[in-house]
């Protein structure tokens, strides 16, 4: 069995190299690769939703005049959680509004106090139950997003920007240091909402193009996804996944960037596959990361800052499920789930068409719950009778997820 997989890796690697160019395509078959030691084994991915390619954005960025955004300065209020009352944020520094408390449907949200000479905070809408923080200038509001079906492409057309941001990580075989690919909705801040961010890590020898079914699905739901083009995302100092987060945050304060004041910098997720899953575990020790989903590869991280979903495939004989088990065993206080999908191996969880796979739908649902306050999807994961808990295709363990 191991010899067969090694042959598959050698054969498919050339296909991956040919398929991972700088232009995006809507749907297309993808070659797969397998490797030992955290290598990626992939089937194929089609894009979720329609997709266009935009020009690359420049790296770096300067702060906006008059202060930073209300999302990063000023008093911070309650997080987007179920029920309860969240008090408003304290007065922010010059040019920024304090963030108002947000709560999911049914909760009462307090409005943040306005910063000196800055934009006023906006009270949450009654239906959404989100307080909202208004960002100065051409800004947006942090709050709960409208519900959506994670098993289908979201409502937004996806734009893919290739080779953006700084070089990050180790050099490729040709001596160049890869940059990033950005997946984002073509229309930013619909209804005035700020977009949560997801940073992605590839499996060994792979690039974001290979995972465009998942990453495109996330972007079609409103996430801004930054993925390193490096084929070894676990290497480098600093490592690419956090370099990508830093660059995106800079773009949120750069008035020349398309992302300027369109991002929810208080809700950032990390996810990745194989080597990228181990890199996800590592990156999740950073305080910017508020939830994480390592896919088929995880390690113990005792400095997490939010809920974690540890996924593995029941037929994965490359990485297996031991790392995911160890990772959840180390959790003490935060919500965490071990999710073993019995019918997939190291790469067969990937989508192969315009419709996201089961696992891609689950990852999208998790991010919607924890980064967008989509309470309608919370029963997928929380409670003894959660959707995944009662599905015979899954083996589920929960910690601190009673409700």
């Amino acid at each position: 069995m191991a010899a067969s997989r090694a042959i598959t890796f050698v054969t498919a690697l050339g296909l991956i190299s040919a398929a991972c160019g700088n232009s995006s395509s809507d749907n297309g078959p993808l070659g797969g690769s397998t490797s030992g030691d955290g290598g990626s084994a992939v089937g194929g991915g089609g894009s979720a939703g329609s997709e266009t390619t935009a020009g690359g954005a420049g790296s770096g960025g300067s702060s906006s005049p008059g202060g930073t955004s209300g999302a990063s300065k000023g008093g911070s209020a309650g997080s987007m959680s179920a029920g309860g009352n969240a008090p408003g944020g304290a007065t922010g520094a010059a040019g920024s509004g304090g963030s108002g408390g947000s709560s999911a449907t049914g909760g009462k949200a307090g409005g943040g106090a306005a910063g000196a000479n800055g934009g006023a905070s906006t009270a949450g809408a009654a239906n959404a139950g989100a307080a909202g923080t208004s960002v100065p200038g051409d800004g947006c509001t942090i709050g709960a997003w409208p519900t959506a079906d994670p098993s289908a492409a979201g409502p937004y057309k996806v734009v893919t920007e290739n080779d953006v941001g700084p070089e990050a990580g180790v050099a490729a075989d040709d001596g160049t240091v890869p940059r990033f690919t950005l997946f984002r909705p073509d229309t930013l801040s619909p209804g005035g909402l700020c977009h949560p961010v997801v940073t992605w890590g590839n499996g060994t020898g792979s690039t974001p193009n290979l995972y465009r079914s998942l990453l495109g699905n996330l972007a079609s739901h409103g996430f801004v996804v930054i993925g390193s083009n490096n084929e070894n995302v676990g290497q480098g100092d600093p490592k690419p996944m956090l370099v990508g987060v830093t660059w995106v945050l800079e773009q949120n304060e750069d008035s020349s960037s398309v992302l300027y004041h369109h991002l929810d910098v208080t809700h950032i997720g990390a996810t990745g596959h194989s080597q990228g899953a181990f890199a996800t575990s590592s990156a999740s020790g950073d305080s910017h990361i508020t939830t994480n989903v390592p896919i088929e590869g995880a390690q113990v991280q005792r400095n997490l800052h939010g809920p974690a979903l540890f996924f593995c495939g029941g037929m994965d004989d490359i990485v297996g499920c031991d790392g995911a088990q160890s990772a959840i065993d180390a959790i003490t206080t935060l919500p965490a789930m071990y999710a073993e999908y019995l019918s997939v191996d190291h790469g067969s969880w990937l989508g192969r068409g315009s419709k996201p796979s089961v696992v891609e739908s689950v990852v999208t649902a998790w991010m919607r719950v924890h980064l967008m306050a989509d309470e309608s999807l919370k029963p997928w994961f929380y409670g003894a009778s959660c959707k995944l808990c009662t599905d015979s295709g899954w083996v589920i363990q929960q910690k601190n997820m009673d409700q």
Side-chain angles (χ1 to χ4, degrees):
M1 183 68 176
S4 174
R5 289 185 178 273
I7 293 170
T8 302
F9 172 73
V10 172
T11 303
L13 189 57
L15 297 178
I16 292 174
S17 298
C20 297
N22 288 340
S23 61
S24 64
S25 59
D26 288 338
N27 294 310
L30 293 172
S33 71
T34 65
S35 69
D37 295 337
S40 66
V42 295
S47 63
S50 56
E51 185 176 311
T52 59
T53 303
S59 63
S62 59
S63 297
S64 58
T68 55
S69 72
S72 59
K73 293 290 184 182
S76 174
S79 61
M80 292 189 283
S81 58
N85 299 328
T91 300
S96 65
S99 61
S102 63
S103 62
T105 305
K108 179 182 179 182
N117 300 323
S121 295
T122 305
N127 291 338
T133 301
S134 54
V135 177
D138 183 18
C140 57
T141 300
I142 297 172
W145 283 64
T147 60
D149 179 6
S151 64
Y156 309 111
K157 184 178 179 181
V158 176
V159 172
T160 303
E161 299 182 26
N162 298 302
D163 290 324
V164 302
E167 297 177 344
V170 297
D173 291 341
D174 63 1
T176 62
V177 179
R179 297 168 71 191
F180 292 85
T181 298
L182 184 74
F183 299 81
R184 63 171 178 85
D186 66 332
T187 302
L188 294 171
S189 299
L193 288 170
C194 299
H195 297 268
V197 176
V198 175
T199 182
W200 168 260
N202 314 301
T204 304
S206 303
T207 67
N209 187 55
L210 189 63
Y211 303 96
R212 67 182 183 269
S213 177
L214 170 61
L215 307 184
N217 195 57
L218 287 167
S220 76
H221 279 260
F223 296 96
V224 169
V225 183
I226 186 71
S228 170
N229 293 331
N230 206 301
E231 297 181 1
N232 289 287
V233 294
Q235 301 179 34
D237 185 18
K239 293 181 174 63
M241 290 184 71
L242 291 179
V243 173
V245 171
T246 299
W247 179 76
V248 168
L249 296 182
E250 290 171 348
Q251 299 310 293
N252 194 53
E253 297 302 325
D254 182 354
S255 60
S256 67
S257 171
V258 69
L259 300 178
Y260 178 59
H261 286 173
H262 287 300
L263 303 180
D264 178 355
V265 300
T266 66
H267 292 91
I268 301 176
T271 182
H273 174 230
S274 197
Q275 183 182 154
F278 292 107
T280 294
S281 293
S282 177
S284 297
D286 186 270
S287 61
H288 290 100
I289 307 301
T290 58
T291 191
N292 70 99
V293 185
I295 301 172
E296 294 186 319
Q299 61 191 19
V300 173
Q301 171 56 266
R302 301 185 186 279
N303 194 30
L304 297 177
H305 301 275
L309 172 63
F310 305 110
F311 169 81
C312 67
M315 300 175 66
D316 183 359
D317 58 0
I318 295 176
V319 172
C321 292
D322 289 348
Q325 185 65 63
S326 296
I328 193 169
D329 287 346
I331 297 293
T332 55
T333 59
L334 293 171
M337 174 176 280
Y338 167 98
E340 179 182 348
Y341 193 40
L342 296 174
S343 62
V344 298
D345 59 23
H346 195 65
S348 59
W349 59 273
L350 275 167
R352 291 178 172 80
S354 58
K355 183 178 175 61
S357 70
V358 171
V359 174
E360 291 168 344
S361 300
V362 168
V363 174
T364 302
W366 181 273
M367 294 298 186
R368 287 193 61 91
V369 170
H370 297 99
L371 301 180
M372 288 181 165
D374 188 344
E375 290 290 296
S376 70
L377 297 174
K378 197 172 181 181
W380 281 42
F381 309 104
Y382 286 81
S385 299
C386 76
K387 178 181 173 69
L388 268 62
C389 302
T390 57
D391 187 328
S392 61
W394 292 83
V395 173
I396 300 295
Q397 300 174 38
Q398 297 168 302
K399 277 193 171 182
N400 309 308
M401 298 187 71
D402 294 339
Q403 55 185 0

